[in-house]
């Protein structure tokens, strides 16, 4: 029993390695540099260096194929969109050597393209933010006076590829638009970068939630749900602190959406609970492993192993029960960045300090006394990112310049 896990720097990949390694499955991992977070785990028996998929997608896939040819693996896992989408696109090619654990590319595209996701949700009656689907600047000019601000202007794709190099278009503060001038400015910027007009969506005030699933051809085998307690950027980003939660309406909506896709594998459906009408509104779908994966594992829903057991061993036992209130934290660097941002914005410094320095009863994405070395890998990765930002190779969001 042996698997290969790409994206060794990611805390999600570390969670996958720990999950499978504890089950006696031999883990190998890959990353674009040595001594990544996952490579330093005691559960990783061998590590490889391959070309950075953020710099050259083709060379990444070619190198990955050589690794898979040379070793015998039961399955190939990855965690970042920048690698998962190319792997899915090349699934037929890579499936010659191992089992790719993600759906075929046409299915992945339904979650990768936010326009397709929102249109499907509207067709099957799942609540979404009011969304404007526009194809030209001329159309935007015609509707700009009808739009109620604030709105969120976002690329249809979080990642697009140009000449084998990905361009990442994350949602940051600048995507929240409060007037017509801002609307045209950010729309033009996204159009120039992606070649496609963005989505314009109603801003939904309220907390963020995630419904995580494992399905076999649209049939639910496991689900889990979490509530975001903190995220970075504060305006909306990756969760840095979250807890297990259950809301029947959101779970049913998430399962209905993914079942309509005949989904085969894992995924995460993100909602906001609209504080104006208390109705969950669909935000997006990740057709891959998600950043808060360590929380579901800590709560007893071990998605990496359940996926392995389903796809490799052929077992399809269902597991849907878990305790609420389990908390998990991405301290380095996620929650540290939240703290620095929150304390600079918030007038109540004491409240921020009290929230941040509460440690009791909390699990951690990376930090573990039983597996301590990945923390060093995370710090190394943080320093590398910082140097890349200072040198201009990446921006503050981690996107290659």
């Amino acid at each position: 029993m042996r698997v290969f896990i790409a994206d060794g720097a990611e805390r999600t990949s570390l969670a996958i390695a720990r999950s499978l390694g504890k089950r006696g499955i031999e883990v190998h991992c890959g990353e674009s540099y040595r001594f990544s977070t996952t490579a330093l785990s005691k559960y990783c028996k061998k590590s490889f260096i391959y070309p950075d998929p953020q710099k050259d997608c083709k060379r990444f896939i070619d190198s990955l194929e050589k690794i898979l040819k040379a070793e015998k693996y039961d399955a190939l896992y990855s965690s970042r969109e920048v690698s998962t989408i190319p792997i899915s696109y090349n699934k037929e090619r890579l499936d010659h050597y191992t089992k790719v654990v993600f759906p075929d590319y046409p299915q992945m595209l339904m979650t990768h393209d936010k326009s397709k996701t929102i249109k499907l949700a509207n067709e099957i009656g799942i609540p979404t933010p009011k969304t404007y689907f526009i194809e030209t600047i001329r159309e935007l000019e015609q509707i700009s006076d009808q739009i109620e601000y604030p709105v969120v202007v976002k690329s249809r794709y979080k990642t697009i590829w140009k000449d084998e190099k990905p361009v990442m278009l994350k949602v940051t503060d600048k995507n929240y638009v409060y007037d017509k001038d801002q609307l045209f400015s950010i729309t033009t910027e996204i159009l120039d970068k992606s070649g496609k007009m963005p989505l314009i969506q109603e801003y939904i005030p309220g907390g963020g939630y995630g419904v995580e699933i494992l399905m076999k051809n649209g049939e639910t085998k496991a689900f889990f749900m979490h509530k975001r307690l903190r995220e970075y950027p504060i305006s909306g980003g990756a969760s840095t602190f979250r807890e297990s939660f259950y809301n029947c309406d959101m779970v049913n909506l998430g399962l209905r959406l993914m079942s309509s896709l005949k989904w085969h594998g894992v995924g995460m459906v993100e909602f906001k609970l609209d504080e104006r009408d208390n109705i969950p509104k669909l935000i997006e779908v990740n057709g891959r492993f998600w950043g808060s994966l360590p929380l579901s594992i800590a709560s007893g829903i071990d998605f990496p192993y359940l996926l392995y057991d389903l796809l490799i061993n052929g077992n399809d036992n269902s597991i849907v029960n878990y305790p609420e209130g389990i908390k998990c934290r991405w301290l380095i660097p996620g929650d540290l960045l939240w703290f620095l941002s929150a304390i600079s914005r918030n007038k109540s410094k004491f409240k921020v300090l009290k929230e941040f320095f509460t440690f009791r009863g909390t699990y951690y994405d990376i930090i573990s006394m039983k597996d301590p070395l990945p923390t060093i890998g995370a710090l190394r990765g943080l320093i590398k990112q910082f140097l890349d930002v200072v040198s201009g190779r990446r921006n503050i969001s981690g996107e290659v310049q």
Side-chain angles (χ1 to χ4, degrees):
M1 297 187 296
R2 182 189 297 162
V3 300
F4 186 86
I5 304 172
D7 308 312
E10 300 299 306
R11 68 191 191 280
T12 305
S13 292
L14 173 64
I16 296 169
R18 285 171 168 169
S19 161
L20 300 180
K22 289 175 182 177
R23 303 275 187 165
I25 299 168
E26 184 176 327
V27 171
H28 295 181
C29 80
E31 186 49 89
S32 60
Y33 59 87
R34 295 185 185 279
F35 307 122
S36 67
T37 303
T38 305
L40 291 174
S41 171
K42 70 180 184 180
Y43 296 106
C44 182
K45 303 304 180 185
K46 191 174 182 179
S47 62
F48 296 82
I49 299 175
Y50 50 55
D52 188 343
Q54 276 198 244
K55 294 180 180 178
D56 192 323
C57 178
K58 183 179 185 303
R59 289 184 61 229
F60 163 68
I61 291 295
D62 289 345
S63 179
L64 184 59
E65 183 180 35
K66 289 180 181 178
I67 293 169
L68 299 176
K69 273 184 177 181
E71 306 269 353
K72 183 173 175 58
Y73 295 105
D74 295 326
L76 168 63
Y77 288 73
S78 66
S79 57
R80 298 167 67 198
E81 184 172 85
V82 74
S83 56
T84 300
I85 295 298
I87 287 172
S88 178
Y89 186 79
N90 291 277
K91 183 177 178 180
E92 186 174 348
R93 172 182 168 186
L94 299 176
D95 261 341
H96 285 296
Y97 313 106
T98 189
K99 179 69 176 179
V100 176
V101 301
F102 300 105
D104 296 338
Y105 183 71
Q107 267 190 308
M108 291 290 283
L109 189 60
M110 290 297 297
T111 63
H112 181 51
D113 184 340
K114 294 181 176 64
S115 176
K116 292 181 181 294
T117 306
I118 295 298
K119 286 178 179 179
L120 173 63
N122 290 338
E123 288 173 7
I124 63 177
I126 292 176
T128 66
K130 183 178 181 180
T131 304
Y132 298 88
F133 302 96
I134 54 174
E135 298 299 330
T136 65
I137 291 292
R138 181 63 182 273
E139 286 184 41
L140 180 62
E141 291 171 347
Q142 293 172 349
I143 68 167
S144 59
D145 290 328
Q146 306 167 22
I147 293 174
E148 295 183 17
Y149 298 94
V151 291
V152 185
V153 183
K154 61 176 71 170
S155 171
R156 284 173 54 177
Y157 307 92
K158 191 180 295 181
T159 310
I160 62 168
W161 278 263
K162 289 185 176 181
D163 300 324
E164 301 297 340
K165 181 178 178 180
V167 178
M168 298 180 71
L169 296 164
K170 296 180 180 180
V171 176
T172 62
D173 286 342
K174 68 181 180 181
N175 296 85
Y176 291 82
V177 170
Y178 297 88
D179 59 47
K180 191 173 178 179
D181 289 340
Q182 285 182 298
L183 175 64
F184 279 90
S185 176
I186 187 64
T187 297
T188 302
E189 180 181 334
I190 292 173
L191 177 60
D192 289 343
K193 287 184 176 180
S194 70
K196 292 185 179 292
M197 292 293 286
L199 298 181
I200 300 171
Q201 287 191 324
E202 163 195 21
Y203 170 72
I204 304 296
Y209 300 81
V211 176
E212 293 87 42
I213 57 92
L214 169 64
M215 285 189 166
K216 178 184 179 182
N217 298 317
E219 180 185 352
T220 303
K221 294 301 171 185
F223 71 78
F224 178 77
M225 184 175 174
H226 75 270
K227 175 182 180 181
R228 291 177 172 225
L229 301 179
R230 296 198 286 262
E231 54 191 11
Y232 182 83
I234 290 177
S235 58
S239 69
T240 65
F241 190 44
R242 79 297 292 193
E243 69 176 343
S244 58
F245 189 77
Y246 179 77
N247 176 289
C248 182
D249 290 339
M250 272 188 263
V251 167
N252 288 337
L253 289 172
L255 296 181
R256 179 147 60 95
L257 177 63
M258 300 307 282
S259 181
S260 72
L261 290 170
K262 302 296 182 185
W263 197 255
H264 192 61
V266 297
M268 192 269 278
V269 186
E270 184 180 335
F271 293 94
K272 271 198 165 186
L273 186 60
D274 195 332
E275 61 186 30
R276 299 167 300 182
D277 56 17
N278 208 38
I279 294 175
K281 306 290 171 63
L282 173 71
I283 301 301
E284 66 178 13
V285 177
N286 287 321
R288 55 183 170 82
F289 284 106
W290 47 94
S292 58
L293 177 63
L295 173 61
S296 66
I297 296 173
S299 303
I301 310 295
D302 191 343
F303 283 103
Y305 180 71
L306 291 172
L307 180 61
Y308 181 94
D309 204 31
L310 174 66
L311 298 183
I312 307 304
N313 296 334
N315 297 326
D316 60 354
N317 299 321
S318 298
I319 176 169
V320 295
N321 294 316
Y322 59 88
E324 293 187 63
I326 303 297
K327 296 178 180 179
C328 195
R329 187 181 195 187
W330 176 32
L331 182 60
I332 303 170
D335 220 26
L336 288 171
L337 292 171
W338 172 88
F339 172 73
L340 295 173
S341 180
I343 206 161
S344 65
R345 295 185 182 199
N346 203 313
K347 293 181 180 179
S348 177
K349 312 293 185 188
F350 177 76
K351 181 182 178 182
V352 174
L353 287 165
K354 184 179 179 181
E355 283 186 33
F356 183 76
F357 288 102
T358 299
F359 301 103
R360 182 174 296 178
T362 300
Y363 291 87
Y364 288 85
D365 289 2
I366 298 172
I367 298 170
S368 170
M369 295 298 291
K370 295 180 179 179
D371 188 25
L373 291 182
T375 304
I376 297 174
L379 291 170
R380 184 194 185 285
L382 179 60
I383 294 168
K384 183 179 184 297
Q385 288 182 355
F386 173 76
L387 293 175
D388 283 349
V389 171
V390 170
S391 66
R393 290 192 292 268
R394 299 177 190 266
N395 63 22
I396 193 66
S397 298
E399 299 161 3
V400 174
Q401 299 295 289

